[in-house]
Amino acid sequence: MSAVREDDFPGTAGPGREEPVADLESALRSLFRVLKQSRLHALLLGRAQTDLDRAGVELLYALYAQDASLRLTDLAERLRIDAPAVTRKAQQLERAGLVGRTRDQADGRATRLGLTAPGRAAMDRILAARRVWLTEVLGGWSAADQAEFARLVRRFAGDVDRHLEAPHVCES
């Protein structure tokens, strides 16, 4: 894997730019570029001995993190994608035996989706592979640096989420 360099992203720093924000923008762009690589996805799923696409992993993870079944509409909202896309992916995962459908007890017209035992086992393997990979990547970091990085990432993610949820007035 080649190293990501500042000059891979022209225009992110320079005169008139606030350096800390420009540095952060460049660092985030580099991070997202590396994390979105299909090689990383393939590496982690290979280690987990699981054959899923990214959308399948995201759907399984949403159910895993919830630790309960979800209505398809709630799952679509949580994943921030449209309900028909969730339905199609759920059908694929159901055929693979990774998720199962049940009727919603509160609303018999609605369907709930939950992990099956093989679906939970697949997520356990994926998360274990990711933890091993992160341990390898962060091997040269002190425990204090790792903890501080985790704290700052959680803070940043929370701030981004709150910012996106807040109503904004378009400035002209």
Side-chain angles (χ1 to χ4, degrees), residues 17 29 51 100 107 122 162:
R17 300 291 304 263
R29 194 177 303 207
D51 184 25
D107 180 357
R162 280 186 293 283

Side-chain angles (χ1 to χ4, degrees), residues 5 9 11-12 21 25 28 49 52 93 105 110 135 149 155 157:
R5 301 178 325 267
F9 305 104
T12 58
V21 170
E25 178 185 31
L28 286 172
Q49 299 179 345
L52 289 168
L93 294 171
Q105 298 296 344
T135 300
F149 182 60
R155 178 179 172 189

Side-chain angles (χ1 to χ4, degrees), residues 40-157:
L40 176 57
H41 180 77
L43 171 76
L44 294 177
L45 292 186
R47 287 181 175 185
Q49 299 179 345
T50 302
D51 184 25
L52 289 168
D53 60 12
R54 284 190 176 120
V57 171
E58 288 301 315
L59 192 147
L60 290 181
Y61 184 78
L63 293 170
Y64 187 92
Q66 183 67 30
D67 198 28
S69 64
L70 289 171
R71 290 173 60 151
L72 289 173
T73 53
D74 294 335
L75 189 54
E77 184 178 311
R78 188 171 301 250
L79 295 170
R80 293 189 168 114
I81 58 176
D82 63 355
V86 170
T87 299
R88 287 189 300 275
K89 184 50 65 179
Q91 290 168 342
Q92 181 184 20
L93 294 171
E94 190 174 19
R95 285 190 298 273
L98 301 174
V99 299
R101 293 175 191 255
T102 58
R103 285 272 174 229
D104 189 317
Q105 298 296 344
D107 180 357
R109 300 167 298 168
T111 300
R112 297 184 73 84
L113 197 65
L115 288 177
T116 60
R120 181 163 300 285
M123 279 309 307
D124 286 338
R125 290 191 311 274
I126 291 167
L127 293 174
R130 188 167 64 187
R131 279 189 298 276
V132 167
W133 176 75
L134 281 169
T135 300
E136 293 167 358
V137 169
L138 299 173
W141 292 37
S142 70
D145 284 348
Q146 291 180 38
E148 180 67 1
F149 182 60
R151 184 187 72 75
L152 291 171
V153 168
R154 274 194 298 278
R155 178 179 172 189
F156 180 73

